[in-house]
């Protein structure tokens, strides 16, 4: 996410670091937000840590916003080095000023503590669920968002599970509609799922534009 020259990264899962480095050589970003400790959302944060720790002159610490479990999980990869040597850690959920953004993190249901994230700057609103089950807070998280990024796992049997920690594409569309979001970006697809079918299911529930997260997709955000 880049706004007014400020670069903020939302989640760093498997194989995201090479793509980030193609855009930001030497990991030159201004802040990182991690929604939860599952490796598909945080594992490449450790690679960014090593670049910043060993890659050149020591820079000021990079702000990192995350639930406590993230550092606990990643510290197991290299117990003799403290990630706080590189990152200035701020807790989520919570509210923070991050460069040009007002960041609000809210707790959403998942198998581990998970923070949905809302970013506001100059009248622009971006919201991101991380992983989540259906929850009324989704409507507030994505309220009037210019872009609402919602997980759409569509795992078999998901809607019949007694405790919900993931969502379907149709549910993603429904919550985006409740929120009054302008655009919906589906993400977190279950391996092998048809993304076109996911988009179609979300469009049946949501009146705005629906996009599927694809590699190298760039989405301009503008203020009307």
């Amino acid at each position: 996410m880049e706004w007014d020259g400020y670069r903020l990264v939302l989640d760093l899962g498997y194989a995201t670091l090479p793509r980030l480095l193609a855009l930001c050589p030497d990991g030159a970003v201004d802040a990182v937000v991690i929604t939860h400790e599952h490796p598909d959302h945080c594992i490449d944060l450790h690679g960014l840590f090593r670049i910043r720790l060993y890659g050149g002159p020591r820079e000021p610490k990079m702000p990192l916003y995350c639930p406590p479990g993230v550092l606990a999980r990643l510290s197991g990869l290299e117990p003799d080095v403290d990630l706080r040597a590189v990152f200035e850690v701020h807790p989520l959920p919570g509210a923070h000023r991050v460069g040009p953004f007002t960041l609000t993190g809210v707790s959403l249901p998942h198998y581990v503590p998970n923070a949905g994230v809302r970013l506001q700057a100059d009248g622009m609103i971006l919201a991101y669920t991380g992983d989540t089950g259906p929850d009324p807070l989704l409507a507030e998280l994505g309220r009037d968002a210019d872009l609402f990024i919602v997980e759409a796992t569509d795992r078999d049997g998901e809607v019949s599970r007694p405790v919900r920690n993931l969502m379907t594409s149709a549910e993603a569309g429904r919550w985006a509609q409740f929120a009054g979001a302008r655009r919906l970006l589906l993400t977190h697809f279950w391996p092998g799922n048809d993304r076109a079918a996911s988009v179609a299911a979300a469009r049946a529930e949501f009146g705005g534009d629906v996009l599927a997260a694809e590699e190298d997709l760039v989405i301009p955000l503008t203020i009307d």
Side-chain angles (χ1 to χ4, degrees):
M1 173 67 180
E2 184 170 351
W3 190 265
D4 197 22
Y6 193 92
R7 290 172 164 175
L8 182 149
V9 180
L10 283 167
D11 280 352
L12 279 167
Y14 297 115
T16 54
L17 185 59
R19 293 180 179 276
L20 177 65
L21 294 178
L23 297 171
C24 305
D26 301 320
V29 297
D30 297 296
V32 179
V33 177
I34 303 292
T35 58
H36 66 285
E37 66 189 81
H38 281 159
D40 59 324
H41 291 256
C42 75
I43 194 66
D44 274 13
L45 179 65
H46 195 272
L48 179 61
F49 160 74
R50 289 182 64 86
I51 288 171
R52 300 281 290 204
L53 184 66
Y54 301 121
R58 185 62 59 87
E59 300 183 41
K61 290 186 179 181
M62 179 183 295
L64 169 63
Y65 303 83
C66 64
V70 172
L71 262 64
R73 177 76 64 114
L74 292 179
S75 66
L77 295 174
E78 201 169 4
D80 55 329
V81 183
D82 188 351
L83 274 73
R84 294 176 188 270
V86 166
F87 298 116
E88 181 184 281
V89 182
H90 305 272
L92 289 180
H96 305 277
R97 186 69 187 178
V98 186
F101 302 109
T102 299
L103 183 157
T104 305
V106 302
S107 181
L108 293 175
H110 195 45
Y111 299 98
V112 297
N114 171 66
V117 174
R118 182 178 173 93
L119 297 170
Q120 297 174 260
D122 303 322
M124 180 282 306
I125 301 171
L126 179 143
Y128 171 49
T129 66
D131 291 352
T132 184
D135 189 280
L137 285 175
L138 289 168
E140 294 308 312
L141 181 72
R143 181 70 64 201
D144 300 324
D146 296 281
L147 182 66
F148 196 8
I149 307 172
V150 183
E151 74 107 314
T153 307
D154 282 321
R155 182 175 55 176
D156 286 345
E158 181 58 40
V159 296
S160 62
R161 295 176 187 272
V163 177
R164 299 291 309 282
N165 291 306
L166 295 168
M167 291 207 300
T168 68
S169 299
E171 288 171 329
R174 199 171 305 138
W175 285 108
Q177 186 70 21
F178 290 154
R182 292 176 54 198
R183 285 185 290 176
L184 169 63
L185 177 64
L186 302 178
T187 188
H188 204 264
F189 302 106
W190 194 256
N193 279 5
D194 182 347
R195 297 186 185 186
S198 297
V199 169
R203 281 180 177 156
E205 302 286 342
F206 177 61
D209 291 337
V210 180
L211 305 169
E214 301 283 355
E215 291 75 7
D216 301 318
L217 175 67
V218 177
I219 302 176
L221 293 172
T222 58
I223 304 172
D224 290 337

